[in-house]
Amino acid sequence: MTDAAWDALRFDVYNTVVQGGHAPAVVQLAWLDASSAGGPHAELRLGDNSTTIQLLESIYKKHAGITHADLWSYAAAVAVSNSGGPTINWRPGRSDAQARTSDPVSIQPDPTANPASIRIAFSSIGMDDKETVALMGAHCMGNAHLNVSGYVGSWTQTPLFVTNQYFTQLTKNSTYRQETITSLDNSTRMQYSANSGRFMLPSDMALMQDPIYLSHVQNYASNLTAFLSDFKLAFSKLLEVGVASGLSNVSISTSITDFPPADQVQPAALDPEMQCYPSFESPRFCMSAQDTGSNLVYTIHSSAIGWTGFGVGSTSMKDGDVIAAWRNSSGQAWTTAFSTSQHAIQVARNSAWKQVVLMEPAPAWSKISFSAIHPKVVASSGTGKTGNDITGEYMFAISSVVPAGDLDRLNGVSVLYQHDVSGVLGNICVGCTPTFSTGSAALIGSIYL
């Protein structure tokens, strides 16, 4: 491929994968492919038609001269490099598997693995203890999905960014409790859950049980620079497992900053007071608040085609006061209020939430836009309404899963259990000077009231 062809591919991957919010899924696919028994040869595409594989196939069809295996690997490198992570050194030259010789099981630890099993799995692909812990840090991205793995939740508050928050969360392991999760097939799994809505697998917690692993966890928790530096080396090595000797000696750029500004995706036109995730420039979820005295009116815009949830009050997702919206059979935004119990939800009776007329035009990228009013004080208001006072944190979740059944009723409530991305939009800051963060900060911002 020519330099111009690589530039076109890099921009397409950035626009489709990173801007589209698919970076975690693409990173996971490349990891599975690189660590499979057959090596990184895109064997999973033979007989597997997952959403992520279909997404990358749509890119593959537009760019001649690249193999599927190289595209999967390169897309993951671009995703990491442009999601707050280090710039990954990447070289082409992977060949595609032509037949599904066996079930390409990934050589990686079971979610319930202990330290010994983790060490065996990673050493089998040439990773030492420091590289193992650095690679486990990839759990800073993405969510576990009930319908995929049987686990549910996100490890960090910013699942579209590469940060060291996975390690800072692990150092708070005493704040997590064991929780039994019932899967869609009624099987059960144990995970560790925190009131903040974050979760850990048993294999994550195993890092805290081994003194060598623990030392690296503590180092990365306190030193973002060290984590990014070590993750860069370990992830680059992972993408070359079993094929390094056959790759080109020429590295291909993975950073979008190589493009002139005029070629990059331009930000949507939004109210500058609006707070967005993952960023104002590349929004998937945005919120603005209008203070009316005793109430606040929130306006939500979301790129989700399924449903969108927004919560106020409380300092955790365990007892959240949430309003969720989706499109009803007439194509209008339809809302219902919920209360949360960790990862489960139930309809909130006589909720303090009330949907109102949309307070501002919906931007072109938004699939679901709505406005809703909520009292600042609920518990002692004397209105008999249920919900939380507006303190703590703003929380959100978005999903590509459309509620099932009659959309004008709540038959889709069980589907609302599952989401694509969830996180903390910001702390609710009462009576203080607002500070808004950008980029890959752990919290998107603080909301000033």
Side-chain angles (χ1 to χ4, degrees):
M1 293 175 63
T2 64
D3 289 345
W6 282 114
D7 286 348
L9 175 62
R10 185 160 77 259
F11 182 69
D12 197 359
V13 168
Y14 173 75
N15 192 23
T16 303
V17 173
V18 180
Q19 297 285 76
H22 304 291
V26 168
V27 169
Q28 181 192 40
L29 178 62
W31 178 308
L32 293 175
D33 188 43
S35 62
S36 66
H41 299 294
E43 187 176 343
L44 286 168
R45 80 188 195 283
L46 305 173
D48 191 329
N49 197 31
S50 71
T51 301
T52 306
I53 290 176
Q54 292 181 53
L55 178 74
L56 293 179
E57 183 67 17
S58 69
I59 298 175
Y60 174 82
K61 291 178 179 179
K62 294 183 286 182
H63 301 273
I66 192 169
T67 63
H68 290 90
D70 266 352
L71 174 60
W72 290 13
S73 178
Y74 185 63
V78 171
V80 168
S81 300
N82 298 283
S83 298
T87 300
I88 301 299
N89 294 325
W90 188 87
R91 300 184 296 157
R94 296 159 190 78
S95 60
D96 284 340
Q98 298 304 310
R100 185 101 170 209
T101 56
S102 62
D103 188 18
V105 178
S106 176
I107 305 172
Q108 60 176 337
D110 184 270
T112 62
N114 58 26
S117 298
I118 293 173
R119 189 166 277 114
I120 290 171
F122 279 92
S123 64
S124 70
I125 54 174
M127 300 295 171
D128 63 23
D129 288 344
K130 181 168 73 171
E131 291 167 331
T132 295
V133 178
L135 286 174
M136 290 283 282
H139 278 168
C140 65
M141 302 184 78
N143 292 59
H145 297 275
L146 188 70
N147 61 329
V148 177
S149 65
Y151 298 96
V152 62
S154 60
W155 288 266
T156 71
Q157 293 175 330
T158 54
L160 294 182
F161 287 122
V162 179
T163 72
N164 64 339
Q165 193 181 129
Y166 170 74
F167 300 107
T168 61
Q169 289 295 120
L170 273 178
T171 61
K172 303 174 185 176
N173 61 324
S174 63
T175 66
Y176 286 73
R177 68 184 185 283
Q178 292 187 12
E179 181 182 13
T180 299
I181 299 296
T182 302
S183 301
L184 300 180
D185 61 1
N186 289 321
S187 62
T188 60
R189 291 169 174 79
M190 191 279 288
Q191 66 181 42
Y192 292 87
S193 302
N195 283 347
S196 63
R198 305 310 107 202
F199 98 110
M200 292 287 172
L201 297 168
S203 56
D204 296 315
M205 288 299 190
L207 297 181
M208 305 299 287
Q209 302 165 9
D210 182 278
I212 298 176
Y213 288 159
L214 176 59
S215 66
H216 294 303
V217 168
Q218 292 172 332
N219 179 40
Y220 294 150
S222 61
N223 192 332
L224 173 62
T225 300
F227 166 59
L228 294 179
S229 176
D230 290 347
F231 183 74
K232 173 178 181 174
L233 297 176
F235 193 69
S236 297
K237 180 178 177 179
L238 174 68
L239 295 180
E240 297 187 356
V241 168
V243 296
S245 62
L247 299 181
S248 170
N249 292 325
V250 179
S251 294
I252 305 299
S253 175
T254 58
S255 176
I256 199 67
T257 57
D258 292 345
F259 289 105
D263 291 338
Q264 297 188 34
V265 175
Q266 298 301 307
L270 293 173
D271 180 346
E273 296 298 318
M274 186 164 285
Q275 297 305 295
C276 299
Y277 182 89
S279 69
F280 184 84
E281 291 75 19
S282 305
R284 297 190 70 197
F285 175 96
C286 291
M287 180 276 287
S288 64
Q290 299 178 36
D291 192 335
T292 65
S294 59
N295 300 299
L296 282 157
V297 179
Y298 298 95
T299 296
I300 305 298
H301 301 298
S302 169
S303 65
I305 62 172
W307 60 268
T308 292
F310 175 65
V312 302
S314 179
T315 57
S316 75
M317 289 186 175
K318 181 180 179 182
D319 300 306
D321 180 13
V322 176
I323 185 168
W326 59 91
R327 288 186 177 277
N328 65 10
S329 57
S330 300
Q332 300 171 319
W334 190 269
T335 63
T336 297
F338 298 95
S339 59
T340 67
S341 176
Q342 196 61 31
H343 299 296
I345 58 174
Q346 59 185 3
V347 176
R349 303 300 179 188
N350 202 26
S351 171
W353 279 111
K354 181 182 179 181
Q355 185 176 357
V356 296
V357 64
L358 187 63
M359 302 298 290
E360 60 186 47
W365 56 266
S366 179
K367 301 296 190 299
I368 298 173
S369 293
F370 69 96
S371 295
I373 192 169
H374 193 285
K376 292 181 181 178
V377 177
V378 178
S380 60
S381 63
T383 63
K385 297 293 184 180
T386 60
N388 294 327
D389 295 349
I390 299 181
T391 59
E393 298 172 332
Y394 286 125
M395 304 160 292
F396 75 97
I398 60 178
S399 176
S400 58
V401 179
V402 178
D406 184 348
L407 300 187
D408 291 338
R409 295 185 176 88
L410 202 58
N411 296 343
V413 64
S414 62
V415 179
L416 299 184
Y417 187 101
Q418 184 58 53
H419 55 259
D420 297 333
V421 171
S422 68
V424 175
L425 186 69
N427 290 322
I428 300 174
C429 177
V430 181
C432 60
T433 303
T435 57
F436 298 108
S437 56
T438 59
S440 58
L443 293 176
I444 300 304
S446 297
I447 310 302
Y448 176 67
L449 300 179

